[in-house]
Amino acid sequence: MKREFGRLPDGSTVHLYTLRFGGLEAQILDLGATIYRLYAPDAEGKMADVVLGFDDPADYIKSGTFFGTVVGRNSNRTKEGKFTLNGKAYQMGVNDGKNNLHSGPNYFKNRLWAVEDTSDRHIRFSLFSPDGDQGFPGNATIYVTYTLEENSTLTVSYDGICDQDTVFNLTNHSYFNLHGHEKPEKAMDMHLCMPARFFTVADDESIPTGENRPVDGTPMDFRTEKPIGRDINEQYDALIPQKGYDHNFDAGINPCAVLTDPVSGRCMTVITDCPGLQFYSGNFLQGETGKDGVSYRYRGGICLETQYFPNALNQPSWPQPITKAGEAYHSKTKFVFSVRETKNEN
């Protein structure tokens, strides 16, 4: 189902597409190929919208939150916006201090994506990114497909092809709150389990230093399920600069994350073919007015972004987000929803 969502300042029309299947409902915008709403059932079958977002398309353009949007060509941070490919130096924009964040400032989130194909349960978007776009080489065509599958599963597939060797490292930047987006005060009460053995230590500018530090014995250890807020304020060297969790963890073991709300019973399992998972605890939310007039307070939602390690282009020993000319780029992430026995809410 398609309807008009609103208009951008330049007069362009933004459309919303509704998918329903397998016990889920997803509402997707062609602006940024953005997940606008995602409804999932609780233990009693009650549906709630579990992602943060905006009701005005202009807010997606203005905001630096990236609520629900597709990020590319390269997600996360690149030191000084610089990288070398095939012996040639490239310069991206500098939009995060002296570094690059999410390939800005000409973000994919601010562009209208073309709809290639859609049905009641899937939608496939495409975007053409010309040679030099965002500082990257080659004329690239990028596809993002959202599919609702059996067993309450949302699958996000990323595909691309380019006429030169280039960088492809796409992700979705949804903020999740399984209690419901309208309850930001509950977000840190969610439980998280990640089998990650190490995380990439970052400096004061959130650029990885190259150290892969074991999680054992640190507040970064989520191998046993725990509330997200339990250790978030520990005076630990890796937590202080980022004001909480904003770190890349290894995603080599699947499921790479299981997020649970013990009150509603909603559970979301993340499965990916990416080497890394950026866990962000919403530390820089500032009370933005979102959907339904909700104020998204500090730490009001969390991101689980499947991707290559941040600044991998400048860490040659890490997996590299490089796709050769004419070769197909493909990545897939599944968000599988289920329910657990609930606890009484105080």
Side-chain angles (χ1 to χ4, degrees):
M1 182 169 58
K2 173 185 175 182
R3 68 172 175 85
E4 184 175 320
F5 181 74
R7 292 186 181 273
L8 297 175
D10 67 1
S12 301
T13 301
V14 178
H15 293 96
L16 180 148
Y17 297 81
T18 300
L19 314 179
R20 294 189 184 95
F21 186 77
L24 301 178
E25 178 179 316
Q27 298 181 6
I28 315 291
L29 304 178
D30 55 8
L31 176 66
T34 297
I35 300 175
Y36 166 61
R37 292 188 187 270
L38 180 59
Y39 290 95
D42 67 7
E44 298 179 350
K46 181 181 178 182
M47 304 293 281
D49 178 9
V50 297
V51 294
L52 280 57
F54 295 114
D55 284 326
D56 186 338
D59 288 335
Y60 284 100
I61 301 289
K62 293 184 294 185
S63 176
T65 58
F66 299 87
F67 288 154
T69 66
V70 169
V71 177
R73 291 187 200 184
N74 184 61
S75 60
N76 219 306
R77 291 173 173 85
T78 303
K79 186 175 182 178
E80 298 179 355
K82 297 178 179 179
F83 66 95
T84 301
L85 178 58
N86 296 333
K88 181 178 179 180
Y90 291 89
Q91 179 66 61
M92 305 161 67
V94 173
N95 64 330
D96 185 51
K98 62 183 181 182
N99 304 305
N100 180 272
L101 175 65
H102 296 328
S103 301
N106 191 12
Y107 302 107
F108 281 4
K109 76 179 181 70
N110 296 344
R111 307 187 198 186
L112 288 173
W113 291 58
V115 175
E116 295 287 320
D117 184 41
T118 187
S119 70
D120 291 342
R121 56 184 290 188
H122 90 283
I123 187 165
R124 180 175 173 85
F125 293 101
S126 69
L127 183 73
F128 177 69
S129 177
D131 182 30
D133 186 20
Q134 302 176 321
F136 296 108
N139 295 293
T141 303
I142 297 159
Y143 302 90
V144 175
T145 306
Y146 296 101
T147 306
L148 297 183
E149 300 179 339
E150 302 283 355
N151 301 317
S152 299
T153 300
L154 171 63
T155 298
V156 188
S157 297
Y158 308 92
D159 295 274
I161 194 163
C162 189
D163 60 3
Q164 296 184 44
D165 293 1
T166 198
V167 177
F168 282 137
N169 179 24
L170 289 95
T171 193
N172 181 275
H173 207 294
S174 286
Y175 291 63
F176 296 98
N177 183 349
L178 298 186
H179 198 87
H181 87 98
E182 73 281 2
K183 296 286 187 179
E185 70 278 7
K186 301 289 187 180
M188 292 298 101
D189 295 336
M190 290 188 292
H191 290 195
L192 181 64
C193 181
M194 295 189 295
R197 300 151 297 181
F198 66 84
F199 69 99
T200 57
V201 178
D203 63 19
D204 290 352
E205 297 178 334
S206 297
I207 299 294
T209 63
E211 177 189 356
N212 294 336
R213 184 183 298 178
V215 301
D216 188 40
T218 78
M220 318 302 281
D221 192 348
F222 284 87
R223 291 175 296 177
T224 298
E225 178 182 311
K226 66 180 181 181
I228 293 170
R230 192 185 78 179
D231 300 327
I232 197 170
N233 293 316
E234 291 291 319
Q235 294 301 297
Y236 179 63
D237 66 335
L239 288 174
I240 294 170
Q242 282 73 35
K243 306 182 189 304
Y245 299 108
D246 190 8
H247 300 81
N248 174 78
F249 293 77
D250 73 285
I253 302 173
N254 273 306
C256 64
V258 179
L259 183 67
T260 307
D261 173 34
V263 175
S264 70
R266 292 186 186 90
C267 179
M268 185 182 77
T269 299
V270 184
I271 300 168
T272 189
D273 54 13
C274 292
L277 177 71
Q278 185 80 10
F279 166 40
Y280 170 52
S281 53
N283 313 314
F284 298 98
L285 292 176
Q286 299 175 354
E288 291 87 349
T289 300
K291 294 177 296 188
D292 310 316
V294 175
S295 177
Y296 293 137
R297 58 185 283 178
Y298 171 64
R299 296 178 179 169
I302 72 118
C303 301
L304 296 168
E305 306 159 63
T306 57
Q307 57 190 243
Y308 284 85
F309 298 174
N311 198 41
L313 291 164
N314 295 306
Q315 295 286 349
S317 65
W318 288 352
Q320 292 296 297
I322 305 299
T323 299
K324 295 293 186 180
E327 293 186 357
Y329 163 80
H330 177 73
S331 179
K332 181 183 291 184
T333 296
K334 290 180 178 287
F335 300 95
V336 183
F337 288 84
S338 58
V339 293
R340 290 185 181 177
E341 183 179 349
T342 60
K343 299 179 181 179
N344 292 328
E345 185 172 12
N346 295 325

